[in-house]
Each structure stands twice: as structure tokens, then as C-alpha cells.
Amino acid sequence: MSQKIIPVVLSGGSGTRLWPVSRQTFPKQFWPLISQQTLIQQTVLRGRAVRDAAPLIICNAEHRFIVAEQMRQIGITSSRIVLEPKARNSGPAIAAAAFLLAEEDPNTIMWVMAADALIRDEKALKESLDLAVKAARQGYIATFGITPEHPETGYGYIETGTPLSIHASEKNGAVFHVRRFIEKPTRDAAEALIRTGHVLWNSGMFVTSAATFIREIQRHAPAIGAATESAVRGRTRDLDFERLDAEAFARCPSISVDYAIAEKTECAAVVKSHFGWSDIGSWDAVWEAQDKDAAGNATRGDVILDNSRDCLVQTDGPLIALAGMEDTMVVATEDAVMVTRRGQGQEVRKIVKKLESLGHRAATSHRKIYRPWGHYTSLARGEAFQVKQIVVHPRGKLSLQKHQHRAEHWVVVSGTATVTRDADILTISANESIYIPVGTPHRLENLGAEPLIVIEVQTGLYLEEDDIIRLDDIYARGEARGD
């Protein structure tokens, strides 16, 4: 019987180098940065195209409904979504996947990949994957190494050792033992590494059997092994999700798979690959990946250029006009604008750290906040008032709740709202409104087939999202951290 090959998609991290688009509440893998599909959608569809198997997705518990909705949008209904109660980096995440898959078959081959990479040549990817699977069946933990195109300081590197006796195709090179893994080097160090001719970029993808990974995690990182095995045994169902045991998972050290296993194991192998890989980890990488005009400019949104070349200009909000600029990157959202020189994309994370130190909301959240029932956008805020636009999906339903400090006035813009207010259930149509006094149990629901759009005016001395007492919630959210 042939071993199953299961795509394992890691959807963690906050993508701070892609701020202001990528933020903690809605990070880069959920945005359509390169095509009409988001990065996680592209990743899962790629796994389906290369290996027709349902993916196992590991994500932050706060992102569970975003992941589920984005899978629904692309017709993936059989994915297995596993929730990390706390971010612990890639080492514990992959270990948890290994223990989960080993329950059914320890010989299952895991194809582990991040949710935010770009791959242009799926045929070449399949050839590399076939080689990696052969290595995995021989007991190796195989990764994919990419021939460096320039001295990139944002990637890790792999130094190749002796070749394995695994037949390679003409396009994709041989499979090698790994001599060593090299973390993100300085530019001078990267140039020196490339000159040796024996290094590859580390793609961050791994192929191995669940049994092999469990053996190596127990040998080289036993604390991770014990904690993740306990977290898997103690997992619970949460609607359509599997939630790892929080107490057990919290005992895991936060460590990458490279530090925990790859740099220590004696069974690391690397497939020399040429499938058009790029880690979409910075705005420089986005510029590299996008189509450009004759002057080398990549643009998205409402953009006007004059006498400018080799620029990246992207906006989800205001018009951006650029004149007489070279090697410039401008990215605008509804509430923030980032400007830097091309080649300095790795520095954007420093801006995010400064914003975090100032307690600025833009460091972590957008004006538009996504919820399982839809989303809301803060339109205006002042002393003792806030105005929001609320969009509720068809069949979406907010929690039955009340507020201790604020009253709300709802005006229906389009669609039909079913409103619970105390013991009454009312139907509110377009151009009609309803008032919700402080302390009144209430619920907003869309029973129609089209999105419901509501303008909400909040009044009160305290307007934060933690002023919610949930009385009933179809999404089983117990925490009062906004609806």
C-alpha cells in the first residue's frame, strides 16, 4: 500500500515586513498580494494540483474563521483546520501535525509548506516533490533548495554535501545530504557563500514521514515532543476546527523547525530545485513577483506615474501620484501610508516595532475588522461617539449580547435586518432604523440572500470592543474581544 502524501500548510506569523497591508489581525497570507487569490488560497490550490489530497492547515485560533471562509471561497471543503492556542513558531506546529497524522498512519508523508510563498512552475515543483518523497521514504527529512539569484539577506541558506543515489530529472538537480543550514546572513557573507557554488536558498518546505519527524523531535527537542504529543491527545472539537490543548501547547518552547531539528538531525537532505520559488516576505519580493510596465514599475490600485521607474506603488485607499522617482516603494491602505526605497524592504519591521512601542492601533489592526459573520469598518470616531459600517454575510448572525457603557443606533443601508431587542424580534428594511439602549440584550441577523449593510452609531463614554457581554453565540466564541 502506498504512503499517503498530505500537504501541511503553516499559516502563522504576522508578516510585519509587509506592513501596512499585513497586520496581526489580518496577516499577509490572507491578502491577494500577487494575484486575485490570496497567498494561502494559492498555496492550498497548489497542493491540490500537485497532490490531490485534503490539506491539514495549522493556524492561529484568532484566524480560524478567516481560514475557513477563504477555503470555502475556492471550493476546498475537506480541509482539516487545526488551531494553535498560542504562537510557538514552526517547530511545535510541525510536530503537532506529525502526531496528528501518525494517529492514522505513522508512515504518512508530510509535505510541509508555509502559506505565503510564490511558486511559478508547478510541473517542476511536482518533479522536485517526487524526489523529496523518495528521500522521505528512505528516512530523510528533505527540503527544497533554490539556486540563489542574488545575495539575499532575508533568506536562510543550505550548504550541500555529498549526493544521494536518487535519480533526478534534467530540470531539477540531484538530492544532496545537507552539510549545514545557515541563518540569514549579512550581504557580504551572502556574497561569499554564493561564490562557493555549494549553497542554495532554503525554501522552508519540508517533506518527511510523520514517524521520522516524531523520532527526530523526540531525539533533539524532547520538550517539544512531549508537549505537542500531549496537546494533540488533549485536543477538542470547536465547530469544524480542532483546537490543541492550550495548557500543554503553552509548555512548548517557541522555536523554528530549523533550530529545533534541521540544524541538528543527521538525516537532512536537500533537493536542488528550479520551480520559480519566492518567499513573499517583503515589499521588495512583491515588486520582484509582479508584472511591470516598460519602466519597471509595478502598480496596483488608483495610481498615476510620471517620469518614474523601477517603483512599487500599491493603494487600497487614496489616489497615489508619483513623479520623478526611482527605486521607490509606496504602499497605502485606508489608514496608513508606507514609503521606503526599494532594497530597504527588510527595514519595514522596525517601523512596526516603533508603532507597537507607542501603542498605536495601526501596528496590529486595520480599520476593517473581519468576523465570522462578515466585517465592520470604523468610519469616524470622536469624544463619546463612533460610527461604523457593518456588513453581515447572508445567513450571518452576530452574538446575542449587551453593552454596559454604550448605546447603539442602527440604520439599514441595504438588505433586510432581523433584529432581536429584548424580547422583541423586528424586521428592519433599507432606510429604516432602530435604537438599542445601554444594557439591552440585542442581536443583528441577516436571513436574506444578499449582504446586509448597516451604519452603526455608538454613543457612550467607553466604546472599546471589550464592552461586550455575550449571552449566546452560534460561533462558540466565549471571549468578549469584539464581535
Side-chain angles (χ1 to χ4, degrees), residues 303-362:
V303 175
I304 295 292
L305 299 179
D306 180 67
N307 191 30
S308 297
R309 61 185 308 105
D310 298 328
C311 295
L312 170 73
V313 188
Q314 175 172 317
T315 177
D316 295 321
L319 163 71
I320 295 180
L322 212 62
M325 303 299 290
E326 293 184 7
D327 297 322
T328 302
M329 300 195 295
V330 182
V331 180
T333 61
E334 291 181 340
D335 63 342
V337 179
M338 185 282 303
V339 182
T340 189
R341 289 190 63 81
R342 200 164 58 80
Q344 298 296 312
Q346 300 292 337
E347 303 300 308
V348 174
R349 66 174 65 186
K350 294 180 181 178
I351 296 295
V352 178
K353 287 184 178 180
K354 289 183 179 180
L355 288 170
E356 289 173 342
S357 69
L358 295 170
H360 201 297
R361 182 177 179 179

Side-chain angles (χ1 to χ4, degrees), residues 5 50 126 143-144 156 163 184 216 253 265 280 358 392 423 436 452 460:
I5 302 171
V50 175
K126 185 178 185 304
T143 188
F144 301 85
K184 300 171 183 176
E216 294 302 294
T265 183
I280 306 300
L358 295 170
V392 185
I436 310 294
L452 167 66

